[in-house]
Amino acid sequence: MIIAVCSFSGAPGVTTLATALAAVWPTGPLTVPVLVEADASGGDLAVWHRLVGRPGLVSLAASVRASDPNPDGEQGARRALLAHAAELPGGLRALAAPTTAHEASAVVTALAHRARVLRGGLTVLDLGRVAPGSAGAHLLTLSDAVVLTVAGDDAAQIHRVSRCRDVLESLAGKGAAVGLAVHGSRFSTSEITAQTGCRVWAQLPHDPTGAAFLRGEDSRPRSLRERVAAWSHTRHNPDGVEWMPLLAAARGLADRVDDLVDAAATLRRFEEAFAA
């Protein structure tokens, strides 16, 4: 399953949301989420988590150029992907992009040409801002679900998304579930859906502590409210992070996307069986 997180008009927080989704995705013996920072404008993860010089998107791109990334089917592709992933605090596996656009664009293009390596498990793609005709736009067409981030208090940005309605409908027509994750609350979800033609899957809270946690910074609860929330959650789950509002919102979004993709897959199987 490939989940793409992106923006069409420079909305903030794409990398933060992609990291949060991968970090809180329901895991199991056969589900190891991998975050792939495929942002052609340059990535943030390497700096946030001191991964400069570590394996990541560059080493993966070199590998897929040199050989078939899928020699043993999807399981082989997954092993290849994990071989280039670094482990972030908390256990999340991630492939960081180069920090500059002239380096990142080349490796994202190489990945788009050999995107089979992304299959075989749960991959969360951080595509940053996607432009028409770009490698990121091609990767969108291969995704099972697309989460588009939007600044919900910016009328101009909502208007730009509405002008891309045909793009969103095209993605949905290819079988992808498509929805919005909205920062800010000047406009209601019904207003945003009416203008863009796309459902709002999540309202993302302003949560500096949660954002700091995802950047690998000090995220100890500071306010009384945060301390009470942390205590209430972690006494039941010592490793829990969903006392942070941003992580809780991401978990709700993950559950929703997972259900939608599963439902679409079930419907496709039914249609194929009926056609046969």
Side-chain angles (χ1 to χ4, degrees), residues 210-251:
F213 169 78
L214 295 166
R215 293 192 299 266
E217 300 172 4
D218 181 9
S219 59
R220 288 174 295 182
R222 294 177 176 83
S223 68
L224 177 60
R225 181 177 181 178
E226 285 185 340
R227 290 197 296 271
V228 170
W231 174 83
S232 177
H233 281 76
T234 57
R235 69 194 181 104
H236 299 296
N237 178 8
D239 298 320
V241 295
E242 291 170 34
W243 60 269
M244 292 177 258
L246 178 57
L247 277 296
R251 179 55 189 264

Side-chain angles (χ1 to χ4, degrees), residues 45 151 172 191 196 206 253:
L45 288 176
E191 289 174 314
T196 63
H206 177 65
L253 176 58

